[in-house]
Amino acid sequence: MKILILGAGGMIGRKLTAALLRKGELTGRPIQAMTLADVVETDVPASSVALRAVAADLSAPGVAAELVAERPDIVFHLAAIVSGEAEADFEKGYRINLDGTRELFEAVRREHAASGYQPRLVFTSSVAVFGQPLPPVVPETQVLAPLSSYGTQKAIGELLLADYSRRGFMDGIGIRLPTIVIRPGKPNKAASGFFSGILREPLAGLPATLPVGDEVRHWFASPRRAVEFVLKAAEVDTSGLGVRRTLDMPGLSATVGEAIEALRRAGGEEAVALIQREPDDAVKRIIESWPEAFDPQRALALGFEADASFDEIIRRHLEDEVAGNGKRA
Amino acid sequence: MKILILGAGGMIGRKLTAALLRKGELTGRPIQAMTLADVVETDVPASSVALRAVAADLSAPGVAAELVAERPDIVFHLAAIVSGEAEADFEKGYRINLDGTRELFEAVRREHAASGYQPRLVFTSSVAVFGQPLPPVVPETQVLAPLSSYGTQKAIGELLLADYSRRGFMDGIGIRLPTIVIRPGKPNKAASGFFSGILREPLAGLPATLPVGDEVRHWFASPRRAVEFVLKAAEVDTSGLGVRRTLDMPGLSATVGEAIEALRRAGGEEAVALIQREPDDAVKRIIESWPEAFDPQRALALGFEADASFDEIIRRHLEDEVAGNGKRA
């Protein structure tokens, strides 16, 4: 069992690498080799598995072909420029999020043509593929009408994944991850970053800014759940998916106010007092274009499971990131 | 008023060119120049308007930039490889239908960055962007889940059109044309070609093959309506479209059997007898994945109108293609 992780240096990529090394197998077959690719060199953990780090830009000529030439059994395609950055830098967003994805899929197709190669390919998409107006609970047949370049690029990736899978070039599965909370580490450029910030920073005794109101409702998953989703996507039976190869992942539908109440229970009034309200219309417009809740029937039927509450999300953060001093990251 | 037509040599392109020359103006401004681009050199009709034919592949380097450098006020992007050919030749379909479209949009974006240029861009899409399962009447919020590479390429074009318009690089509008009947001339490689063939050929005393059953229901528009749709899309107010810049066009929902009954009324039993039934499962599978009827509320509100019946569609064919000996083509 050989595994390729693209975007291995990101938050999910690092946690996925650690989880795979702990697990030791995938689809019942022992993991023999893993290639960890990212635009910057990824730390290689000590392990009995043959680990190789590759620093390369997936959209550059030849990079995808070289990575696919190893014929990994499973490809995790997590690499992406986040929403805020893709909106700020149009060309970079399209180059990484669209051209990079297409180069990867084309490399797989060429290897398929040469040798019959057909890997399982797990693609992380996003609820940002949806626009407005949206019903309060989004059905699985909802039109993709993104209000951001990031959402557009992810929607195009989903369409390509479906067509390349329908053609038999790969066994692709896309998963639309909820917004991940609590992201460990420093704030990133995602427009959704504050959802983590208003919990992570106060839990560490630091101030955090909140650009939207308490009434804003959104769709969440913990990092631990997100890694479970990605792992499960690598193993799940895709034969019943048909042409819609991308699934809405189960999430927790909750408001900013509910997150703050959970923070109050976990960290007390002094934690809540560290949240500074600084309304930001640009962030508000992006967030309000995102869905509030889904009806992820297909994923639930396949056994994907959501977090139960913001209290659980905070508890997992404290277990995984604070108590263990980041060892599980 | 300068106009650029991409795919000017195709059926809609030729009829659009003729209609524009008859009309003489668009959006109330006289037409001064038209560039007719296609992969093969287009016939240039005699006219007082400055007409230029360009034979070029839109996906080739520099072609789009050279065409856009003229800063046409309105761009009609009709160029595409049809469904059957895009399915048979994967690389050609993606090169023409996806890369060609992206090169065009990128050329417009660069000219926008250089000079503030922002043309109206009319993009012809297709009902092939939808997959299965579909409700009997498809709503405007239906997910795009194409079952063909052609449908995938058109869906991606719609997403790019929306994002480039949202960013202000162009004033884009997409129109999902129903299947065009009766296409004049020879059969093409579209999987839907027989819908025209079973009427056009018998009306001319020639045999035609029917690969599907009488019960197959589909969504139709005459060539005359299709040209009206494209012209109207160039003039309509796009300010209320929001991020969903592509509209389902009104059509006639009818079965193969209903088309044959209209043929019987127009051409008699001897015409119907020329239809040879040759079931073809490959064609049947493609056609059955296409929608049967739509609820095109937004287009109807903007004044787009459907054909009333197959009798009307046949009458228009006889007027435009047979009585006038093709002069109006």
Side-chain angles (χ1 to χ4, degrees):
Chain A
M1 166 64 67
K2 284 188 284 188
I3 292 173
L4 169 61
I5 304 179
L6 301 158
M11 190 265 287
I12 305 256
R14 282 180 287 115
K15 287 180 181 290
L16 174 66
T17 302
L20 286 166
L21 292 177
R22 280 199 303 276
K23 196 169 147 75
E25 57 80 29
L26 207 54
T27 68
R29 294 163 59 200
I31 298 169
Q32 284 142 347
M34 282 172 60
T35 298
L36 310 176
D38 209 309
V39 285
V40 291
E41 186 107 7
T42 310
D43 293 339
V44 175
S47 166
S48 59
V49 170
L51 289 178
R52 182 169 80 102
V54 176
D57 177 345
L58 191 58
S59 67
V63 168
E66 189 255 321
L67 291 168
V68 167
E70 299 172 357
R71 296 170 53 88
D73 301 281
I74 298 180
V75 178
F76 293 99
H77 178 27
L78 319 173
I81 296 296
V82 296
S83 54
E85 193 171 2
E87 199 64 18
D89 190 338
F90 185 87
E91 293 185 3
K92 186 176 181 185
Y94 271 89
R95 185 167 56 78
I96 303 294
N97 294 350
L98 176 50
D99 296 333
T101 297
R102 191 146 169 238
E103 289 291 336
L104 172 65
F105 291 4
E106 278 289 276
V108 170
R109 182 176 71 86
R110 287 197 204 96
E111 186 63 34
H112 173 84
S115 70
Y117 174 63
Q118 191 194 38
R120 170 67 55 97
L121 191 147
V122 178
F123 173 62
T124 48
S125 187
S126 163
V127 297
V129 297
F130 299 105
Q132 284 290 344
L134 279 180
V137 177
V138 180
E140 301 210 304
T141 53
Q142 183 69 33
V143 66
L144 309 188
L147 288 169
S148 65
S149 292
Y150 174 80
T152 302
Q153 292 144 11
K154 286 295 188 187
I156 293 173
E158 291 187 11
L159 284 161
L160 292 171
L161 183 88
D163 202 39
Y164 279 64
S165 296
R166 185 184 63 81
R167 292 282 194 146
F169 306 147
M170 57 171 68
D171 176 13
I173 178 169
I175 58 176
R176 289 188 197 121
L177 293 177
T179 290
I180 307 296
V181 288
I182 301 168
R183 295 183 69 91
K186 300 232 165 104
N188 70 6
K189 290 187 187 174
S192 57
F194 74 87
F195 284 121
S196 288
I198 60 164
L199 301 173
R200 182 187 59 232
E201 307 303 321
L203 285 168
L206 299 168
T209 59
L210 174 57
V212 303
D214 275 26
E215 74 291 351
V216 167
R217 177 174 288 279
H218 196 53
W219 183 245
F220 301 103
S222 62
R224 209 195 284 182
R225 282 292 180 200
V227 171
E228 285 172 19
F229 293 158
V230 175
L231 281 171
K232 191 168 184 66
E235 299 194 303
V236 83
D237 178 9
T238 56
S239 62
L241 291 185
V243 79
R244 287 192 292 127
R245 306 289 294 203
T246 299
L247 299 166
D248 295 325
M249 287 292 103
L252 171 68
S253 176
T255 64
V256 167
E258 287 164 26
I260 293 173
E261 287 315 301
L263 173 66
R264 196 185 310 275
R265 286 188 288 274
E269 291 300 334
E270 64 273 32
V272 174
L274 287 164
I275 298 174
Q276 294 160 357
R277 290 169 189 275
E278 294 180 10
D280 180 326
D281 280 348
V283 172
K284 192 160 174 282
R285 270 196 304 276
I286 294 179
I287 301 299
E288 284 183 347
S289 76
W290 291 353
E292 299 185 342
F294 288 84
D295 181 21
Q297 291 178 10
R298 295 195 302 159
L300 291 171
L302 288 167
F304 290 91
E305 276 179 54
D307 298 281
S309 66
F310 250 107
D311 299 289
E312 188 179 299
I313 287 175
I314 289 176
R315 195 160 56 240
R316 286 181 165 168
H317 171 73
L318 295 173
E319 285 170 14
D320 291 355
E321 307 297 336
V322 182
N325 224 355
K327 275 193 200 133
R328 283 174 59 100
Chain B
M1 166 65 66
K2 285 189 284 188
I3 292 173
L4 169 61
I5 304 179
L6 302 158
M11 189 265 286
I12 305 257
R14 282 180 288 114
K15 287 181 181 288
L16 174 65
T17 302
L20 285 167
L21 291 176
R22 279 199 304 276
K23 196 169 148 74
E25 57 81 28
L26 208 53
T27 68
R29 292 163 57 198
I31 299 169
Q32 284 142 347
M34 282 172 60
T35 298
L36 309 176
D38 208 310
V39 285
V40 292
E41 185 106 7
T42 310
D43 294 338
V44 175
S47 167
S48 59
V49 170
L51 289 177
R52 183 170 80 102
V54 176
D57 178 345
L58 191 59
S59 66
V63 169
E66 189 256 319
L67 292 168
V68 167
E70 298 172 359
R71 297 170 53 90
D73 300 281
I74 298 180
V75 179
F76 292 99
H77 178 27
L78 319 173
I81 297 296
V82 296
S83 55
E85 193 171 2
E87 199 64 17
D89 190 336
F90 185 87
E91 293 185 3
K92 186 176 181 185
Y94 272 89
R95 186 167 55 77
I96 303 294
N97 294 350
L98 176 50
D99 296 333
T101 297
R102 191 146 169 238
E103 289 291 336
L104 172 64
F105 291 4
E106 278 288 277
V108 170
R109 183 177 70 86
R110 286 195 205 98
E111 186 62 34
H112 173 83
S115 70
Y117 174 63
Q118 191 194 38
R120 170 67 56 98
L121 192 146
V122 178
F123 172 62
T124 47
S125 188
S126 163
V127 298
V129 296
F130 300 105
Q132 284 288 343
L134 278 181
V137 178
V138 180
E140 302 211 303
T141 53
Q142 184 68 33
V143 66
L144 308 188
L147 288 168
S148 65
S149 293
Y150 175 79
T152 303
Q153 292 145 11
K154 287 294 188 186
I156 293 173
E158 292 187 10
L159 284 162
L160 292 172
L161 183 87
D163 201 39
Y164 279 65
S165 296
R166 185 183 64 81
R167 291 282 195 145
F169 307 147
M170 57 172 67
D171 175 14
I173 178 168
I175 57 176
R176 290 189 196 119
L177 293 177
T179 289
I180 307 296
V181 289
I182 299 169
R183 296 182 68 91
K186 301 233 166 106
N188 70 5
K189 291 186 186 173
S192 57
F194 74 88
F195 284 121
S196 287
I198 60 164
L199 301 173
R200 182 187 59 230
E201 307 302 320
L203 285 168
L206 299 169
T209 57
L210 175 57
V212 304
D214 275 25
E215 74 292 350
V216 167
R217 178 175 287 279
H218 195 52
W219 183 245
F220 301 104
S222 63
R224 208 194 285 181
R225 283 291 181 201
V227 171
E228 286 172 18
F229 292 160
V230 174
L231 281 172
K232 193 170 183 64
E235 298 195 303
V236 82
D237 178 9
T238 56
S239 62
L241 292 184
V243 78
R244 287 192 291 126
R245 306 287 296 203
T246 300
L247 299 166
D248 294 326
M249 287 293 102
L252 171 68
S253 177
T255 64
V256 167
E258 288 165 25
I260 292 172
E261 286 315 302
L263 173 66
R264 197 185 311 275
R265 286 188 288 275
E269 292 300 334
E270 64 273 31
V272 174
L274 288 164
I275 298 173
Q276 295 160 357
R277 290 170 189 275
E278 295 180 10
D280 181 326
D281 280 348
V283 172
K284 190 160 177 283
R285 269 196 305 276
I286 294 179
I287 301 297
E288 284 183 348
S289 76
W290 291 353
E292 299 185 343
F294 288 84
D295 181 20
Q297 291 179 9
R298 293 196 301 159
L300 291 171
L302 287 167
F304 291 91
E305 276 179 55
D307 298 282
S309 67
F310 250 108
D311 299 290
E312 187 179 299
I313 287 174
I314 289 177
R315 196 160 54 241
R316 287 182 166 169
H317 172 73
L318 296 174
E319 285 171 12
D320 291 355
E321 308 297 337
V322 181
N325 225 356
K327 275 195 201 131
R328 284 175 59 99

